[in-house]
Amino acid sequence: MNIRSQKTSLSGSICVPGSKSHTIRALLLASLADGISRIKNPLPSADCLSTAAALPLIGSEVDLNLSPDGESGSEWTVSGAGKNLHLPTDVVNVGNSGSLLYFLSPIAATFEGFSVFTGDESIRKRPVFHVVDALNQLGAKAACSVPKAKTCPLVIQGPVTKNHVVTAGEVSSQYISGLMMAAILMKGGITIELTNPKETPYLTMTQKWLEKVGVKCEISSDYKKISVEGPVNLKAFDASVPSDWEGVAFPLIAALITDSEITIENVDSSGTQGDDAIVELLKSVGADIDWNKKNQTLTVRGLSKSKDGIGRLTTENLPGGELHANLSGYPDAICAVAAIACFIEGKTVIEDIAVCRRKETDRIKVLKTELEKFGAEVEEGEDFMVIHGHSPILSDGKANPEFKLHGALCDSYADHRVAMALSCLGLGLPAGEKTVVSGAECCSVSFPHFYELMNAIGANFAEC
């Protein structure tokens, strides 16, 4: 599907779906528990549905409460396998879900026997060598099925027999969360030493979930040591999934680069998602954002609708006149931050993002390629990006002659966040300029009905 976007203004309210990260953790832990768990406000995205489809392979049952037209319900029930949990009974195809791959494979390694993990073309390009190494340290036998490869298919022979692992935290936080959850099934639990922790808010999220279901988990203040008790017999639980900050980022940036005023509802104010740091990041360059944590709403005003009637985003009041965005704690924000950086007057340095090369795509390379199609000035480093942006307006509200972004034909690379970022970027271009994003249907991976929900507040995205 190709999506066309062009200059517009937004108004009204939008409610972002539940968090993918929370939903998948809830599904997995409910599957390990005895009894029936109820999960409210789950995210019915492709990744979460892949998880729901995979969990019966280890003995649980997931009811999505489908409507007559096949839409997932607002509350899912999981009949946990509990004491009857077992080795996957078939090859686990995770689809496009790295979370499912990295979470479930350590759990599968706790059982005697062989398990095999694979996925779509994108997953089969993502690294699993760090999982292989960690599981081998723990006494299992793990390997990539293709000789000398570092990617799926992943073959594991369990069970794990040891309780201590040393691993490099910068590759991904997801398999570390998987090891933390696997400890529930391990005699003596697990101790994990991380040599270079990254994406640490996600480790805290996993810790909070483990504590919620009664598992003792300790993380050192520097995140270099994690210990989880085990084994633990989990009991069923009820949980409500908070909204997804990774999804909030896109209507947020869309409003800031257009003459818009919107309210984003059901915003997670719990502090368990590191991506909420994007609010202070954007406010530091002058973004007009009001976060009402009591009412769980964000009110966002852009350009002429901002309080000063101008809405110019600029780095001029920051140290050195530069915006330094360290995304080590929330690297999935790179697509949204890179897109809006093109509309910020001054230099934006997006730092500590090496992990972004190992996501659905090499997001650093892809974003440089695609943003340059719009006329953006972008530099690329191994673990950073530099964007020399221009506001479309001067400080007096007049048009900025240095703002030269234009329309483009661009590619999503089947990466959901790239698709949403490029589509939103098109909304802030000058009148008459159009953007077409190919492969835009991939948004369903994390934000089902993204284009329909955005159109309800005036985005006017059109299929072409």
Side-chain angles (χ1 to χ4, degrees):
M1 177 177 76
N2 295 339
I3 285 292
R4 184 182 69 245
S5 65
Q6 56 193 34
K7 184 178 177 64
T8 191
S9 59
L10 308 175
S11 63
S13 298
I14 183 171
C15 188
V16 174
S19 162
K20 181 180 73 168
S21 298
H22 279 287
T23 299
I24 294 179
R25 283 168 173 79
L27 285 170
L28 280 166
L29 291 173
S31 291
L32 303 185
D34 276 311
I36 298 176
S37 298
R38 294 172 176 82
I39 303 171
K40 297 180 180 179
N41 195 40
L43 176 66
S45 71
D47 281 7
C48 297
L49 295 177
S50 292
T51 302
L55 293 177
L57 298 178
I58 60 173
S60 69
E61 296 180 9
V62 182
D63 184 352
L64 304 179
N65 290 316
L66 298 176
S67 67
D69 60 0
E71 288 285 325
S72 300
S74 60
E75 180 176 303
W76 296 354
T77 57
V78 181
S79 299
K83 297 181 182 65
N84 296 317
L85 199 72
H86 53 69
L87 187 77
T89 54
D90 199 351
V91 172
V92 181
N93 189 322
V94 303
N96 187 247
S97 178
S99 297
L100 176 57
L101 168 65
Y102 296 135
F103 289 176
L104 189 55
S105 52
I107 292 172
T110 65
F111 296 99
E112 184 176 357
F114 290 87
S115 53
V116 179
F117 287 78
T118 190
D120 66 9
E121 183 179 3
S122 173
I123 282 292
R124 295 196 305 276
K125 294 178 181 177
R126 297 180 70 174
V128 293
F129 63 89
H130 49 299
V131 182
V132 169
D133 177 70
L135 295 181
N136 286 336
Q137 286 186 54
L138 291 169
K141 296 180 180 179
C144 299
S145 66
V146 178
K148 299 182 180 180
K150 295 183 177 182
T151 57
C152 284
L154 169 64
V155 180
I156 301 167
Q157 182 182 8
V160 295
T161 57
K162 301 177 182 178
N163 304 93
H164 181 262
V165 62
V166 179
T167 187
E170 74 268 16
V171 180
S172 170
S173 69
Q174 291 175 321
Y175 76 105
I176 299 165
S177 286
L179 292 170
M180 293 167 68
M181 289 186 276
I184 295 169
L185 307 174
M186 296 169 59
K187 185 177 180 180
I190 196 170
T191 300
I192 306 169
E193 290 187 40
L194 301 181
T195 58
N196 187 20
K198 300 292 182 183
E199 300 182 299
T200 53
Y202 294 105
L203 301 180
T204 300
M205 181 188 294
T206 302
Q207 178 188 28
K208 296 295 185 184
W209 269 103
L210 290 173
E211 292 173 344
K212 173 181 173 61
V213 299
V215 178
K216 185 178 179 181
C217 175
E218 296 181 357
I219 301 179
S220 64
S221 58
D222 60 4
Y223 288 88
K224 290 186 176 182
K225 185 175 181 180
I226 301 171
S227 59
V228 184
E229 70 171 348
V232 180
N233 294 323
L234 300 188
K235 301 299 181 184
F237 57 88
D238 292 344
S240 182
V241 174
S243 57
D244 188 4
W245 266 101
E246 295 167 2
V248 167
F250 297 106
L252 173 59
I253 66 165
L256 290 174
I257 63 175
T258 55
D259 293 309
S260 302
E261 180 174 353
I262 66 169
T263 298
I264 306 174
E265 300 179 335
N266 193 33
V267 170
D268 179 18
S269 301
S270 68
T272 59
Q273 299 183 61
D275 301 74
D276 61 9
I278 194 172
V279 171
E280 290 305 315
L281 180 74
L282 294 175
K283 288 177 73 172
S284 75
V285 294
D288 187 347
I289 306 171
D290 292 329
W291 184 357
N292 188 320
K293 295 187 178 182
K294 181 179 179 180
N295 294 333
Q296 295 189 314
T297 60
L298 279 183
T299 300
V300 189
R301 305 174 189 88
L303 298 180
S304 66
K305 295 297 180 68
S306 63
K307 294 186 185 77
D308 66 3
I310 297 175
R312 185 171 187 256
L313 305 179
T314 176
T315 66
E316 61 190 6
N317 295 319
L318 296 176
E322 298 178 355
L323 173 61
H324 285 259
N326 188 309
L327 302 189
S328 64
Y330 55 115
D332 283 335
I334 183 176
C335 298
V337 172
I340 197 169
C342 298
F343 296 81
I344 299 173
E345 187 68 35
K347 181 179 178 180
T348 296
V349 184
I350 307 176
E351 303 171 315
D352 211 347
I353 51 172
V355 68
C356 295
R357 293 193 181 277
R358 300 183 291 271
K359 294 291 186 176
E360 284 82 342
T361 58
D362 179 342
R363 285 179 173 161
I364 299 176
K365 179 180 179 181
V366 163
L367 286 167
K368 182 178 188 296
T369 298
E370 298 307 304
L371 293 177
E372 287 180 339
K373 292 179 180 178
F374 293 90
E377 185 181 348
V378 184
E379 299 174 40
E380 171 189 355
E382 184 58 33
D383 66 347
F384 68 89
M385 292 179 66
V386 177
I387 299 173
H388 301 273
H390 292 288
S391 169
I393 51 177
L394 299 172
S395 57
D396 60 3
K398 295 180 180 178
N400 182 0
E402 295 298 318
F403 181 79
K404 298 178 181 179
L405 293 185
H406 51 74
L409 301 177
C410 47
D411 191 348
S412 72
Y413 297 79
D415 187 326
H416 50 123
R417 301 197 201 287
V418 171
M420 289 185 280
L422 298 178
S423 298
C424 289
L425 188 155
L427 303 179
L429 296 178
E433 298 289 339
K434 297 180 181 179
T435 295
V436 175
V437 182
S438 65
E441 68 276 6
C442 61
C443 292
S444 64
V445 166
S446 63
F447 200 144
H449 309 300
F450 171 72
Y451 295 110
E452 294 92 330
L453 289 170
M454 288 293 292
N455 282 348
I457 59 172
N460 297 324
F461 291 126
E463 189 171 350
C464 61

